[in-house]
């Protein structure tokens, strides 16, 4: 005797990760520091209530929607898009300006970072890493690289708002 089986899939979901961090810019610190977010999910992400946490404290992100497949940079209010020292963000990159990024800027020594959603759940993390050279960023080797694993990140030339 046959049985009927009904299968349904969950609706498309956003998936926001920390994809790159520039904690040691050539330009002014902490003004030119940034944290890049990427939504590799299948739906737009509402960032209302999201926060970035470092050793010194928590930075609340401004309300914004990060479309699927796009990047955003969390930057200080004083951030200059083209300071002629560090690479400027790719055209169309969403800039999320905050009063201050980290406790007093991001530590050049590679402190761990966490991205938390509006419920306080950790949705992405960057491990503590060795200090990068001035002008080098720490980038995730692939969006699917294991979260928080040191082998998932590498130092190199910054690509703000663009794939690595």
């Amino acid at each position: 005797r046959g049985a009927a089986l009904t299968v349904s899939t969950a609706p498309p979901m956003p998936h926001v990760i920390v994809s790159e961090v520039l904690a040691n810019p050539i330009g002014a610190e902490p003004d030119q520091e940034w944290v890049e977010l990427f939504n590799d999910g299948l739906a737009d992400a509402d960032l209302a209530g999201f926060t970035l946490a470092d050793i010194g404290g928590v930075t609340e992100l401004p309300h914004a929607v990060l479309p699927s497949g796009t990047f955003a940079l969390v930057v200080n209010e004083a951030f200059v898009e083209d300071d002629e020292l560090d690479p400027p963000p790719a055209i169309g990159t969403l800039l999320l300006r905050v009063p201050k990024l980290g406790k007093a800027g991001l530590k050049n020594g590679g402190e761990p970072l966490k991205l938390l959603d509006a419920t306080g759940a950790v949705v992405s993390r960057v491990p503590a890493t060795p200090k990068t050279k001035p002008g080098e960023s720490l980038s995730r080797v692939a969006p699917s690289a294991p979260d928080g694993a040191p082998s998932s990140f590498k130092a190199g030339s910054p690509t703000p708002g663009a794939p690595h």
Side-chain angles (χ1 to χ4, degrees), residues 13 46-52 58 60-61 115-124:
M13 302 283 295
D46 183 351
L47 300 177
F50 273 59
T51 56
L52 273 172
V58 175
E60 187 173 330
L61 302 187
L115 177 66
L116 297 93
D117 67 13
T119 70
V122 176
V123 295
S124 185

Side-chain angles (χ1 to χ4, degrees), residues 23-162:
N24 194 5
I26 293 171
E29 287 194 53
D31 295 352
Q32 293 306 112
E33 297 174 343
W34 47 259
V35 174
E36 180 187 78
L37 306 179
F38 179 62
N39 179 3
D40 73 338
L42 298 174
D44 295 352
D46 183 351
L47 300 177
F50 273 59
T51 56
L52 273 172
D54 66 359
I55 291 173
V58 175
T59 300
E60 187 173 330
L61 302 187
H63 176 69
V65 173
L66 183 59
S68 175
T70 64
F71 294 92
L73 290 184
V74 182
V75 299
N76 287 291
E77 287 177 344
F79 178 78
V80 176
E81 290 184 53
D82 190 359
D83 69 349
E84 298 183 1
L85 297 171
D86 295 294
I91 294 171
T93 302
L94 177 62
L95 295 182
L96 303 172
R97 293 187 182 269
V98 295
K100 66 179 188 170
L101 188 55
K103 182 178 180 181
L106 301 172
K107 292 190 186 316
N108 293 347
E111 68 184 326
L113 290 173
K114 295 178 191 173
L115 177 66
L116 297 93
D117 67 13
T119 70
V122 176
V123 295
S124 185
R125 51 177 95 230
V126 177
T129 58
K131 181 178 182 175
T132 56
K133 295 176 185 168
E136 275 189 338
S137 68
L138 186 66
S139 62
R140 189 179 291 263
V141 297
S144 60
D147 215 35
S151 62
S152 295
F153 293 83
K154 65 176 176 144
S157 297
T159 58

